[in-house]
Amino acid sequence: MERMKKVLITGIDGFTGVYLEEILISAGYDVYGMVYPKSTRMAHLVCNIANLHEVVSVCNSVRPDYVIHLAGISYVPHSDARQMYEINLFGSLNILDALLESGISPDKIVLASSSNVYGNPTAEVVDEATCPAPISHYANSKLSMEFTARNYFDRLNILITRPFNYTGVGQGVQFVIPKIVAHFKERKKEIELGNLDVVRDFSDVRFVAEAYKKLMECRATSEVVNICSGKGISLLEIIDKMNLMADYKIRTVINPLFVRENELKTLIGSNRKLRQLIGEQRTYSIEETLKWMYDAK
């Protein structure tokens, strides 16, 4: 009987990791994860990715055939810039160094970067050839990770992903769409937001998790690929859709505290390369995603 392939997911208990784990287990993989600071499942191993020795210990224990690195600080306004680099940059390098130190060469290592590395692009639709121009510590930490990971391309099978915005059931209410949906579920009369005219490329977390699986399985290495829908929508349009769905109109208040400095005005990705690498897959309209979130218990 053929051995089940082992997948190690960092941040497996996070928003994306929960969906990815379920997809991979259903597909017949033997799935393990790194979590911090505590574990509630046998296959979830406690590991601080900022500690190389702990990462080496997990790598030696699991000896994965695939690694999908999702762990990191993903909230852009996070106040501790030093911690953001410590986790997003040096934590990622610890993963790669630990694999080399353990003598493990996985079939594929998928690293999660971010579309924020593009900054405020002039192009209406951004593809992977667009020159990065990060305008936040978060984006800089991700781009620094990308550039440093390239130094390992000759020794490890690495694929770097740049996911654009995505959402779904289980995402924290510090993120804008879960915040909006929660206000409607609670039938609140008003909501405080930042800029309503910003346009983003929103995908469904189920689409993104499936894309990670397929990118893990595809042949491509030493590449960078966007994960996105290829469509843009403004927050004002999302409010309008929720007004219709909930059958009442919420009052929107612009709170200056929620207006970020250097706010990206428009960020829409090209998914042409993604489709070339993994083919077509199930997509979800923004209405389907909002309805799923609105109806969730």
Side-chain angles (χ1 to χ4, degrees):
M1 185 175 177
E2 189 177 353
R3 177 180 69 85
M4 292 169 68
K5 292 272 191 172
K6 293 182 181 179
V7 184
L8 177 62
I9 305 172
T10 72
I12 195 170
D13 57 345
F15 173 50
T16 316
V18 169
Y19 290 93
L20 181 57
E21 179 181 27
E22 184 179 335
I23 286 171
L24 291 172
I25 290 173
S26 296
Y29 289 98
D30 190 11
V31 182
Y32 297 84
M34 288 186 189
V35 296
Y36 188 79
K38 61 182 180 180
S39 169
T40 58
R41 296 174 61 173
M42 285 284 290
H44 293 184
L45 309 173
V46 176
C47 178
N48 178 3
I49 64 170
N51 185 314
L52 177 61
H53 298 297
E54 291 186 21
V55 182
V56 169
S57 176
V58 170
C59 287
N60 273 321
S61 173
V62 176
R63 304 201 71 81
D65 299 290
Y66 300 98
V67 175
I68 302 180
H69 176 41
L70 303 178
I73 296 171
S74 59
Y75 186 51
V76 176
H78 185 77
S79 59
D80 189 339
R82 188 175 297 276
Q83 185 187 40
M84 191 171 282
Y85 288 98
E86 183 68 28
I87 299 299
N88 291 352
L89 170 58
F90 295 108
S92 301
L93 298 187
N94 282 343
I95 302 294
L96 303 179
D97 286 334
L99 290 168
L100 292 175
E101 188 171 323
S102 305
I104 302 167
S105 183
D107 295 346
K108 181 75 67 63
I109 302 162
V110 180
L111 301 178
S113 180
S114 169
S115 63
N116 281 68
V117 302
Y118 292 119
N120 249 324
T122 55
E124 187 173 326
V125 178
V126 180
D127 66 17
E128 294 83 356
T130 302
C131 184
I135 57 174
S136 68
H137 280 302
Y138 170 72
N140 267 310
S141 71
K142 287 295 192 178
L143 186 60
S144 299
M145 179 275 289
E146 285 191 25
F147 281 140
T148 312
R150 290 174 185 271
N151 295 330
Y152 296 77
F153 278 2
D154 61 336
R155 290 167 287 167
L156 293 168
N157 298 319
I158 297 171
L159 186 68
I160 297 171
T161 65
R162 289 175 179 165
F164 282 61
N165 294 74
Y166 60 94
T167 190
V169 174
Q171 189 176 35
V173 291
Q174 71 269 32
F175 293 93
V176 66
I177 291 190
K179 176 181 176 178
I180 291 170
V181 173
H183 274 65
F184 277 96
K185 290 176 80 163
E186 295 165 18
R187 308 294 291 184
K188 292 191 175 177
K189 293 180 179 179
E190 71 173 38
I191 183 169
E192 293 187 355
L193 295 168
N195 291 335
L196 294 177
D197 58 347
V198 295
V199 175
R200 293 290 183 269
D201 182 326
F202 283 104
S203 293
D204 188 296
V205 66
R206 295 167 293 184
F207 168 86
V208 173
E210 183 67 30
Y212 276 124
K213 171 187 176 288
K214 291 188 173 183
L215 287 169
M216 180 193 84
E217 293 171 333
C218 79
R219 292 176 176 270
T221 59
S222 303
E223 299 263 11
V224 176
V225 57
N226 291 339
I227 300 179
C228 57
S229 72
K231 301 172 185 175
I233 187 169
S234 71
L235 293 185
L236 189 58
E237 290 176 281
I238 287 174
I239 292 285
D240 287 342
K241 291 180 185 299
M242 287 305 304
N243 283 334
L244 287 171
M245 193 176 297
D247 197 26
Y248 83 97
K249 191 168 184 179
I250 202 168
R251 188 167 75 90
T252 54
V253 177
I254 307 301
N255 185 334
L257 295 175
F258 298 154
V259 178
R260 295 179 196 161
E261 281 187 61
N262 300 320
E263 178 74 88
L264 302 181
K265 302 302 180 190
T266 301
L267 193 59
I268 305 170
S270 166
N271 59 14
R272 181 179 176 184
K273 185 173 182 179
L274 178 68
R275 287 186 284 110
Q276 287 174 340
L277 292 181
I278 65 174
E280 299 297 334
Q281 68 176 75
R282 166 80 159 92
T283 59
Y284 301 82
S285 68
I286 189 65
E287 290 85 0
E288 286 178 290
T289 304
L290 292 173
K291 185 74 164 59
W292 174 47
M293 296 170 72
Y294 184 63
D295 290 343
K297 300 293 185 189

